[in-house]
Amino acid sequence: MDGARVLPRQFFDRDPMTVARELLGKLLLHDDHGQLLSGRIVETEAYLATEDPASHSYRGQTLRNTAMFGPPGHAYIYAMHRYYCLNVVTEGEGIPSAVLLRAVEPLQGMEVMFPRRSTARYVDLTSGPGKLCQAFAIDRALDQWALTQGRRLWLAAPMSETVIDVVATPRIGITSAQELPLRFCDAASACLSRRLYARTLP
DNA sequence: CTACCGATTGACT
DNA sequence: GTCAATCGGTAGA
């Protein structure tokens, strides 16, 4: 990953919708005991600090969501059924918003991702929030990890970024606030967690 | 302590 | 498309 720039705290110290959109095309990297795993982020979701009943922070701070109330740029990782989901905390400390990483395109370490995911298909490796955590060996041990350190688990801007066709849709799998278009996708990616439906142009 | 419930996934009709 | 496995977190008795 020569030339990739580690994303600093100020990148995350903004509103979650901006961070979610700008994370598309960035890199997720995990140095898993010497094994480098990386992928290009293609799908994210924003969870707001206020008036968002779908957010884990909506009903206040608990043991599980403590990270959301901490500094921006730290990981918030929680268990969902048999899987984990990785979020990045956004905005100022004490403003409990975050961005869920929903899908990436694997770049490095695929040879260890395939057996972990028990699939032979590239597009099934990391095309979902639980799938990518399983492929990247991310669990609650990394909850509250500062992703801005450039070691262990971190995010970076690639050497060169191309223009991305960003599509916003409602978030996946939630039962409240379903109308808000807070899911952001790279429309050209084959690794999205769901198909994009034909867009209605204005 | 018990009961309920998913920001999911994979198997199946 | 539908459905449930599965389990930690949470609230409440």
Side-chain angles (χ1 to χ4, degrees):
Chain A
M1 283 295 115
D2 251 9
R5 294 156 290 139
V6 178
L7 297 183
R9 177 188 167 119
Q10 50 265 37
F11 179 93
F12 304 102
D13 198 358
R14 297 180 291 170
D15 77 87
M17 286 175 283
T18 301
V19 175
R21 205 166 47 240
E22 294 201 10
L23 274 175
L24 297 178
K26 301 297 190 293
L27 306 175
L28 171 68
L29 301 106
H30 186 197
D31 182 349
D32 180 29
H33 306 283
Q35 167 71 60
L36 183 63
L37 307 163
S38 71
R40 178 179 174 276
I41 298 168
V42 294
E43 181 179 335
T44 59
E45 278 178 1
Y47 286 85
L48 314 182
T50 57
E51 299 185 359
D52 184 2
S55 173
H56 286 174
S57 64
Y58 186 67
R59 285 168 186 83
Q61 186 172 341
T62 65
L63 201 54
R64 172 175 71 154
N65 67 16
T66 297
M68 287 190 80
F69 292 78
H74 285 221
Y76 166 45
I77 299 166
Y78 66 90
M80 185 59 178
H81 295 264
R82 304 175 41 237
Y83 300 88
Y84 294 96
C85 293
L86 169 65
N87 298 250
V88 192
V89 178
T90 56
E91 293 183 296
E93 191 155 353
I95 304 174
S97 61
V99 171
L100 171 69
L101 269 48
R102 284 198 57 90
V104 306
E105 292 171 352
L107 294 172
Q108 291 166 286
M110 280 173 274
E111 67 280 8
V112 301
M113 295 184 190
F114 277 109
R116 270 194 203 123
R117 288 275 309 127
S118 31
T119 179
R121 302 185 62 213
Y122 173 77
V123 294
D124 288 335
L125 242 28
T126 56
S127 54
K131 295 177 187 178
L132 79 85
C133 282
Q134 190 173 48
F136 274 70
I138 293 166
D139 62 26
R140 274 226 106 194
L142 286 159
D143 186 47
Q144 302 196 55
W145 179 260
L147 299 163
T148 50
Q149 304 174 87
R151 64 187 184 87
R152 247 186 114 180
L153 186 64
W154 71 100
L155 295 154
M159 210 151 32
S160 63
E161 290 190 66
T162 53
V163 177
I164 296 170
D165 181 14
V166 178
V167 175
T169 79
R171 292 172 294 184
I172 305 293
I174 55 166
T175 53
S176 52
Q178 294 177 21
E179 71 287 355
L180 301 172
L182 294 177
R183 171 180 176 239
F184 300 92
C185 301
D186 175 350
S189 178
C191 296
L192 300 179
S193 66
R194 303 279 183 96
R195 282 272 181 78
L196 291 174
Y197 293 101
R199 278 168 282 163
T200 52
L201 299 172

